Amino acid sequence: MLAALTLLLFGLMAGCNQKDSGDKKSGGIADLFKKDKLPQATTDSLFVKSYLAKRPEFKEQEELMYQFYGERNYKLAWFKENELVPQVDKFLGVIDSSYAEGLDPKRYKLVNFNELFKKYEALDAKDSTRLQLQQEIDVALTASYFNYASDFYRGRVDPTSDNSVNWEVKKNKIKLHKALQTILEERESTYPYYEFEALHAGYIRLRDVLQEYRALQQKGGWPKVELGGKKSLQKGDSAQAVAVLRKRLNPNQTIDPKDKRYWHFDEKLEAQVKKFQQLHGLKEDGVVGGGTLATMNVPIEDRIEQIMINMERWRWIPKRMVPKSLDQKYIWVNIPEYKLYIYEDPDNDPEAERDYKEVMSMRVVVGKTMNATPIFSEKMEYVVLAPYWNVPNSIVEREIKPKMLNNPDWLETQNMEIVTKERNPKPVSAYDIDWESVTEKNFQYMVRQKPGPKNSLGSMKFLFPNEHAIYLHDTPANALFSQTERNFSHGCVRLEKPMELAKYVLRDMPEWDEQSIEDTINGGEEKWITLPKKIQVYLVYFTSWVDAEGNVHFREDLYGHDKALKKEYFG
């Protein structure tokens, strides 16, 4: 054994003494010790595991860490030729400025990188401990990125694990390890990860407004409007309170409440009040009192929090609003706004993720507080003309049962009938049912309202099959659309312009023009139409947003979802 080792050492030394035959990278032992720097370090799963075990604050990112490093065979990410890549400074700057995103920088400054960098630079280039420090810095940067990016791109609150949040829109499945590869310029993407930028214009507009509101907060915010014994203020009034009102609506202007030039409530101020009412979903009468006064006196701190939690909701929205397999359009119902919008890509290009344009909007009626319209997303598949209304058993027990106990013929007066629950329903006599004992769970039949002008679904409904049995539909109660607050339904969404929506979703089926739709409705026979391509539908809950003109909107927390989210987000 000793002899063999002696021969090996002799051979190596002989090799070192041989003349270089033109290859300057001979790889001999002498060359190794003459090198100015050690080779670039790599890491491995054991090092990653050991590091995470010592830093439990990164435990949630463990799966992403193994996925990211595993796909690169544990090659370091943030070093190139033993030097930190430029993206390091950019990322640390993003963390420093995360306050602008409605996030807390302290949540992401879990590692003292300046100290690690100084320690690394102080080590001699040939010091082997430098290789281990490279690994530590690299793994720490990656874990810090995932910690930040998880909050920034997916949200601080996980709506799928917190039942109090009430959000069942399809999950944002952003692949953060791929996003990091884009940042490091190792792959290309249509998304702006390399700029550490948000994915939705709605988020970005709210973020810009957040900075404006915070700047205004630093200056003292806006004044509280007090009427001084008056019930309201309106055009023609003259009082010091009018000057305060003027300052409230123009907080960046210098207005002295004692200066009587500002005391007169003129047409210009009335227009501003109506604009305020419009942006807050109030009756646009130009009168300051009641709900308008209460809304004006919401503190700026509350509005800032409202903006922040609605930015959080945008983080939950999928980065791809519409799957590539569908037409590049989607229906967006914002429940607190009582409004439906249709957005589409005019070029129908699945790659043009940020180019959707509004092509239609209409008022809607949503569920009462006790029958809240759920928040979810699905795909529209059918349009049903002259529909039956199949009454849910919950309504049978709560509303129909008392009426039938009082008047056994009540269903007939409503053009309703009772049928069996089978493919070909058979009629059932109301007199054969023991209404006294009927409950939501034991009622074995189906109450349905026949097609016709009195039908609660009106002339048509739009189905996107879902576990909530929620859909869009017409209504005979058209007067409700003139109301400012429109939460009257049992949960489904009633449409102001159902015919316009029908023509739009059926426009690729020439046989279904307005006349043929009308003829079918008037025929009184239920007709199901299968859409040639499904359409993405979102039922969402945003109480603050910024429109295309830059106007900031706020709405009341109709179902208390803001309150629940604030508790999770700020708690």
Side-chain angles (χ1 to χ4, degrees):
M1 178 70 179
L2 181 61
L5 183 60
T6 302
L7 285 171
L8 176 62
L9 287 171
F10 178 81
L12 286 171
M13 291 178 69
C16 290
N17 288 326
Q18 287 178 354
K19 288 185 180 180
D20 189 347
S21 59
D23 183 5
K24 294 183 180 180
K25 298 181 180 179
S26 60
I29 290 178
D31 287 343
L32 178 63
F33 283 97
K34 287 178 184 176
K35 281 188 175 181
D36 293 330
K37 294 183 179 180
L38 291 172
Q40 175 77 60
T42 59
T43 189
D44 55 45
S45 59
L46 290 177
F47 185 91
V48 173
K49 183 178 181 179
S50 174
Y51 182 84
L52 294 177
K54 297 173 187 174
R55 304 301 295 259
E57 59 268 37
F58 292 133
K59 182 66 176 176
E60 290 183 10
Q61 313 310 330
E62 186 173 16
E63 183 179 342
L64 277 168
M65 295 288 284
Y66 291 131
Q67 193 173 23
F68 175 72
Y69 280 109
E71 288 187 7
R72 62 193 301 110
N73 295 318
Y74 286 88
K75 175 186 173 184
L76 298 190
W78 302 86
F79 283 90
K80 190 172 184 180
E81 297 180 358
N82 294 305
E83 299 292 334
L84 288 165
V85 295
Q87 288 90 338
V88 172
D89 284 337
K90 192 169 185 179
F91 168 55
L92 296 181
V94 166
I95 288 179
D96 285 337
S97 60
S98 59
Y99 179 70
E101 307 290 345
L103 300 171
D104 183 359
K106 289 184 289 187
R107 284 175 55 87
Y108 317 111
K109 293 184 176 183
L110 304 177
V111 176
N112 189 336
F113 284 109
N114 287 334
E115 185 177 293
L116 289 177
F117 296 159
K118 286 178 182 178
K119 185 177 178 181
Y120 180 76
E121 289 300 323
L123 289 172
D124 187 272
K126 293 183 287 185
D127 191 332
S128 61
T129 59
R130 227 175 177 237
L131 299 181
Q132 176 142 350
L133 189 54
Q134 267 193 23
Q135 292 184 70
E136 181 181 347
I137 291 172
D138 202 90
V139 171
L141 281 167
T142 301
S144 295
Y145 170 76
F146 287 142
N147 229 27
Y148 169 77
S150 180
D151 284 2
F152 178 62
Y153 284 120
R154 293 176 175 173
R156 276 195 55 198
V157 178
D158 182 357
T160 62
S161 64
D162 192 318
N163 293 329
S164 68
V165 171
N166 288 289
W167 186 276
E168 297 177 35
V169 173
K170 65 178 182 175
K171 191 175 181 180
N172 183 357
K173 296 181 180 179
I174 183 172
K175 297 177 180 178
L176 294 180
H177 66 297
K178 297 292 186 184
L180 182 51
Q181 290 173 15
T182 305
I183 287 167
L184 295 169
E185 299 179 356
E186 296 174 352
R187 69 186 287 272
E188 293 185 356
S189 173
T190 56
Y191 300 101
Y193 302 132
Y194 54 89
E195 294 289 348
F196 295 91
E197 186 53 282
L199 304 179
H200 299 295
Y203 174 96
I204 293 169
R205 288 197 290 260
L206 276 175
R207 180 183 63 192
D208 292 344
V209 166
L210 177 62
Q211 314 321 313
E212 295 174 14
Y213 273 57
R214 281 175 166 168
L216 182 58
Q217 182 188 32
Q218 292 295 315
K219 296 177 183 177
W222 48 62
K224 183 177 181 180
V225 180
E226 296 178 316
L227 303 185
K230 293 174 67 70
K231 289 186 178 180
S232 63
L233 288 174
Q234 57 189 313
K235 187 175 70 172
D237 287 344
S238 184
Q240 188 172 6
V242 175
V244 179
L245 169 63
R246 201 180 297 275
K247 178 66 175 175
R248 167 63 183 88
L249 297 174
N250 303 277
N252 290 312
Q253 292 183 16
T254 302
I255 295 174
D256 182 1
K258 295 180 182 179
D259 189 337
K260 293 188 176 182
R261 290 179 299 174
Y262 300 112
W263 287 24
H264 182 59
F265 198 130
D266 56 17
E267 288 186 6
K268 184 178 179 181
L269 185 59
E270 182 187 48
Q272 286 189 313
V273 170
K274 288 182 177 180
K275 180 72 171 179
F276 176 91
Q277 291 169 329
Q278 183 250 321
L279 295 177
H280 291 77
L282 302 166
K283 183 179 179 181
E284 297 172 41
D285 58 7
V287 177
V288 178
T292 297
L293 181 64
T295 303
M296 281 186 176
N297 286 333
V298 172
I300 193 169
E301 291 77 14
D302 290 5
R303 291 307 189 198
I304 286 173
E305 287 190 350
Q306 192 172 353
I307 291 169
M308 290 170 68
I309 63 169
N310 282 281
M311 289 169 65
E312 174 76 351
R313 289 184 174 117
W314 272 113
R315 298 181 186 117
W316 301 339
I317 297 290
K319 68 179 187 297
R320 179 172 291 282
M321 298 286 288
V322 183
K324 288 184 177 181
S325 60
L326 304 185
D327 274 353
Q328 296 307 297
K329 61 172 69 74
Y330 63 92
I331 295 171
W332 179 270
V333 179
N334 187 18
I335 296 166
E337 188 186 2
Y338 310 112
K339 202 87 177 279
L340 174 148
Y341 298 90
I342 297 178
Y343 296 92
E344 69 174 29
D345 170 26
D347 300 319
N348 200 31
D349 179 4
E351 301 301 329
E353 273 300 295
R354 297 162 71 91
D355 294 328
Y356 289 95
K357 307 295 182 186
E358 179 187 329
V359 295
M360 185 184 297
S361 67
M362 68 183 71
R363 298 177 180 184
V364 299
V365 171
V366 300
K368 308 169 189 175
T369 303
M370 292 185 66
N371 303 104
T373 300
I375 301 160
F376 69 100
S377 60
E378 260 305 340
K379 299 173 184 65
M380 184 183 292
E381 297 184 42
Y382 310 102
V383 177
V384 183
L385 303 180
Y388 282 98
W389 176 39
N390 300 321
V391 183
N393 277 9
S394 58
I395 297 177
V396 171
E397 180 183 2
R398 289 198 317 265
E399 301 181 25
I400 292 180
K401 172 182 172 179
K403 291 182 171 63
M404 293 302 291
L405 288 172
N406 185 55
N407 176 13
D409 295 320
W410 181 84
L411 285 176
E412 290 185 22
T413 68
Q414 304 301 309
N415 200 31
M416 289 181 169
E417 62 183 355
I418 306 171
V419 295
T420 55
K421 289 183 176 179
E422 52 191 358
R423 187 175 184 84
N424 296 305
K426 298 179 178 61
V428 176
S429 172
Y431 289 92
D432 292 339
I433 295 173
D434 178 11
W435 289 101
E436 189 70 51
S437 63
V438 164
T439 68
E440 177 181 352
K441 293 183 178 179
N442 71 15
F443 191 66
Q444 301 177 2
Y445 307 108
M446 180 167 61
V447 175
R448 65 181 185 179
Q449 191 172 36
K450 301 173 187 177
K454 289 185 178 182
N455 188 287
S456 295
L457 304 186
S459 59
M460 63 187 76
K461 63 181 179 180
F462 303 81
L463 300 184
F464 35 102
N466 59 84
E467 61 180 291
H468 308 285
I470 295 296
Y471 43 86
L472 312 178
H473 67 86
D474 183 18
T475 176
N478 290 320
L480 295 178
F481 295 107
S482 63
Q483 301 293 315
T484 304
E485 297 180 2
R486 297 186 292 278
N487 52 321
F488 304 112
S489 82
H490 287 95
C492 287
V493 179
R494 305 177 190 176
L495 303 169
E496 178 188 24
K497 305 173 185 175
M499 179 59 80
E500 296 303 310
L501 181 59
K503 289 191 295 183
Y504 178 83
V505 300
L506 297 173
R507 64 182 182 177
D508 293 331
M509 304 176 74
E511 67 272 27
W512 289 108
D513 58 13
E514 184 169 356
Q515 187 60 55
S516 60
I517 293 172
E518 288 282 8
D519 290 345
T520 302
I521 291 169
N522 294 333
E525 293 290 330
E526 185 177 76
K527 173 67 177 179
W528 284 58
I529 306 169
T530 301
L531 297 179
K533 273 195 173 182
K534 298 176 184 178
I535 299 173
Q536 185 67 55
V537 179
Y538 289 95
L539 271 64
V540 294
Y541 193 94
F542 283 89
T543 59
S544 181
W545 68 94
V546 183
D547 63 30
E549 286 72 43
N551 298 305
V552 192
H553 294 253
F554 294 100
R555 291 297 186 274
E556 290 296 313
D557 184 15
L558 183 61
Y559 299 147
H561 295 335
D562 275 12
K563 185 178 180 181
L565 180 52
K566 281 183 182 181
K567 185 177 180 180
E568 295 299 319
Y569 192 85
F570 297 108

